Amino acid sequence: YYRNGFPTDAIWKIFTARHPKHPENREFSIEFSVGDEASAWKRYIPCKTANDLRNVVTDANFEAVHIGPCFSDSSRRARAPTVHVVGKELVFDLDLQDVAWFGVDKADQTSKDGNDRHVRAVFASCAVLVEILREVMGFEQFLAVYSGRRGVHLWVLDERAFGWGDGERDALCKFIAGTPSKSDSRVIETRHIRKNPSFGENTWKAVEMARN
């Protein structure tokens, strides 16, 4: 499967577009099991071609492939003092505990029906988050992937978010969550997105569709 069916070429095209002349600046990592529910990582793997990435996913019995930031030099030298991160896509991690928007009770996670409802809520919350990011921030390019455990990773691929630092990313997360922000008095404290006046009609429609 990983030699012939895994979407290596598509992954390569998406995640090397930032540095077409120096694709090895992107970090690829693999996570693999070492027994007793423990895991280990092989990090800072540079790939110069799509075939290099194909070799990475076929040469080891791994559990997950992780895609990291782009560095100013080859990811193999990421720990050198002169090498720094030049960009990383904006990524949201939506897990089973992140379903409060839909009022799903977490007490019944162990039952099959309860777990099914939680999984549906995770994917529904992803759809709502996409609408919020479109409406509030004007983002247009998204990629939703299974996180490898119990949720979804939503990648924002728009160029203008690529170079954001921790401050910008944290401010956006606080805005979406509706938590107070000292730097922006317009953000209203609320426990539910539905009560946040910053979101418009399209977001409400997405919430209703997801709940139903």
Side-chain angles (χ1 to χ4, degrees), residues 37-142:
E37 298 185 355
S39 61
W41 288 57
K42 182 178 180 181
R43 295 197 58 188
Y44 307 114
I45 304 173
C47 297
K48 292 187 177 182
T49 66
N51 196 54
D52 288 343
L53 179 58
R54 187 172 288 105
N55 290 334
V56 168
V57 300
T58 55
D59 289 347
N61 185 17
F62 66 92
E63 291 188 334
V65 177
H66 297 272
I67 302 171
C70 283
F71 293 93
S72 57
D73 202 337
S74 171
S75 61
R76 192 185 301 278
R77 301 188 64 248
R79 296 184 179 181
T82 57
V83 177
H84 59 277
V85 173
V86 297
K88 175 74 167 67
E89 285 78 13
L90 181 63
V91 183
F92 294 87
D93 185 359
L94 301 174
D95 212 337
L96 285 184
Q97 65 263 30
D98 303 316
V99 296
W101 298 353
F102 300 93
V104 180
D105 185 6
K106 289 187 283 189
D108 61 353
Q109 281 191 21
T110 56
S111 69
K112 183 180 184 302
D113 290 342
N115 190 63
D116 287 346
R117 286 196 298 274
H118 277 76
V119 171
R120 288 195 299 271
V122 169
F123 282 90
S125 64
C126 183
V128 172
L129 181 56
V130 166
E131 287 301 321
I132 292 171
L133 293 169
R134 279 192 180 126
E135 185 173 314
V136 176
M137 299 301 300
F139 291 133
E140 298 178 346
Q141 301 178 52
F142 304 95

